[in-house]
Amino acid sequence: RRVLISKMAKPPEVTIKENEEGHIVRAEEEDTDEIALYKMIREALIYLTHLDATNMENTMLQRLTQECLTEGTSEHWSPTLLNRLCWAIGSISGAMHEGNEKRFLVQVIKDLLSLCEMKRGKENKAVVASNIMYVVGQYPRFLRAHWKFLKTVIFKLFEFMHETFPGVQEMAVDTFLKICQKCKKKFVVVQQGEQLAFVEEMMSHIAQDISELEHLQVCTYFEAVGYMISAAPADGKERLLGQLMQL
């Protein structure tokens, strides 16, 4: 388990990587060999999770705690190790029982958010941000079951859409699209404790959300909103589309 986690390959959804000089850069093209390796390791990790989910959970959380607690000794901070760990965490989505998955994921996100707060410098924050986005995007079952968490994640993605570090905005809109495809029904009904459905509330700040995005990213953003609207009742679709077209 430890060896596979430490050798995990980059999934196709991740748009940030560490180059040969150790700098964090945008991944310009997909590496087909790496994607094939990712699929093989993911399959192995899923089988190992089915065999002993508790051991897999403990191994991953222990690794993550090491990354978070070695903040005082900065030479231990390794973006590559954190990336591989988070890619491994994302790859076993759906392999655990729902209750265990919830406990595991809450701990992972909590640790990653505290790590993001601790880290200084745009490069380091971009690494942690990309990992947070990847992990949450891989667990739609959890997001569908926890509205407040889902809403917080979406607002965090809107925040990342204003981050100009290479690759972060692209990953934010891609993750937003993925979540909208998997959880679209959650955005068009009025959730408990809310005055409006999320899609209606969102209309008021779309212009602000997309203000710093490139043209292709804006297209991806509107594709995601389209998925949201597609889940609305027939009488609501026309009204929501009308609101969207007025922007």
Side-chain angles (χ1 to χ4, degrees), residues 144 147 150 177-191 197-200 203 222-241 244:
R144 283 193 295 267
W147 165 250
L150 173 56
L177 173 61
K178 188 200 280 187
I179 290 173
C180 288
Q181 287 169 333
K182 303 273 177 67
C183 310
K184 55 189 176 187
K185 288 180 182 170
K186 291 286 166 189
F187 300 114
V188 293
V189 294
V190 180
Q191 300 290 338
F198 184 82
V199 67
E200 296 192 46
M203 294 290 176
F222 279 108
E223 184 184 347
V225 178
Y227 275 103
M228 278 188 193
I229 294 174
S230 72
D235 56 334
K237 275 182 194 170
E238 208 169 308
R239 181 174 50 80
L240 286 168
L241 279 170
L244 195 60

Side-chain angles (χ1 to χ4, degrees), residues 2-224:
R2 288 175 186 277
V3 171
L4 286 173
I5 291 167
S6 63
K7 300 288 182 191
M8 189 66 189
K10 185 175 81 68
E13 298 95 334
V14 177
T15 55
I16 293 173
K17 66 175 184 178
E18 191 174 8
N19 68 9
E20 288 162 5
E21 286 84 43
H23 297 302
I24 307 303
V25 295
R26 180 177 175 165
E28 293 297 340
E29 55 198 45
E30 290 189 352
D31 183 332
T32 48
D33 288 344
E34 193 163 31
I35 291 170
L37 181 60
Y38 163 74
K39 286 177 178 173
M40 281 170 60
I41 299 179
R42 180 184 65 185
E43 201 173 330
L45 285 171
I46 288 170
Y47 284 135
L48 288 167
T49 306
H50 285 309
L51 286 171
D52 189 345
T54 308
N55 186 285
M56 183 64 84
E57 181 184 343
N58 291 340
T59 303
M60 287 177 163
L61 288 175
Q62 195 181 347
R63 279 285 174 95
L64 189 55
T65 306
Q66 283 170 355
E67 281 294 327
C68 296
L69 295 182
T70 49
E71 170 59 20
T73 50
S74 56
E75 67 270 13
H76 287 296
W77 159 247
S78 167
T80 304
L81 286 178
L82 182 70
N83 286 342
R84 287 176 178 169
L85 172 61
C86 290
W87 300 339
I89 289 169
S91 73
I92 61 166
S93 168
M96 292 180 181
H97 291 300
E98 200 166 348
N100 296 342
E101 185 177 273
K102 175 188 173 182
R103 184 187 63 235
F104 172 60
L105 195 59
V106 165
Q107 188 59 51
V108 167
I109 299 299
K110 203 184 287 183
D111 284 354
L112 286 174
L113 286 171
S114 62
L115 189 61
C116 197
E117 292 298 313
M118 280 186 214
K119 288 296 162 196
R120 294 287 163 264
K122 282 205 164 191
E123 248 187 41
N124 291 332
K125 283 191 180 291
V127 169
V128 184
S130 74
N131 283 315
I132 292 170
M133 289 188 279
Y134 176 65
V135 170
V136 295
Q138 289 297 102
Y139 285 86
R141 178 172 70 174
F142 176 82
L143 294 175
R144 283 193 295 267
H146 301 89
W147 165 250
K148 283 191 173 166
F149 187 84
L150 173 56
K151 188 179 178 183
T152 306
V153 165
I154 296 295
F155 278 118
K156 198 73 184 165
L157 290 176
F158 291 159
E159 200 180 299
F160 288 144
M161 286 176 197
H162 296 284
E163 174 53 69
T164 51
F165 193 87
V168 175
Q169 289 175 316
E170 187 181 350
M171 192 157 177
V173 291
D174 286 349
T175 307
F176 180 52
L177 173 61
K178 188 200 280 187
I179 290 173
C180 288
Q181 287 169 333
K182 303 273 177 67
C183 310
K184 55 189 176 187
K185 288 180 182 170
K186 291 286 166 189
F187 300 114
V188 293
V189 294
V190 180
Q191 300 290 338
Q192 193 177 354
E194 303 284 349
Q195 303 294 318
L196 293 167
F198 184 82
V199 67
E200 296 192 46
E201 182 192 324
M202 199 181 79
M203 294 290 176
S204 62
H205 51 77
I206 284 182
Q208 183 191 337
D209 295 336
I210 63 172
S211 60
E212 293 182 58
L213 297 178
E214 293 172 13
H215 292 307
L216 275 175
Q217 292 162 354
V218 172
C219 291
T220 307
Y221 181 98
F222 279 108
E223 184 184 347

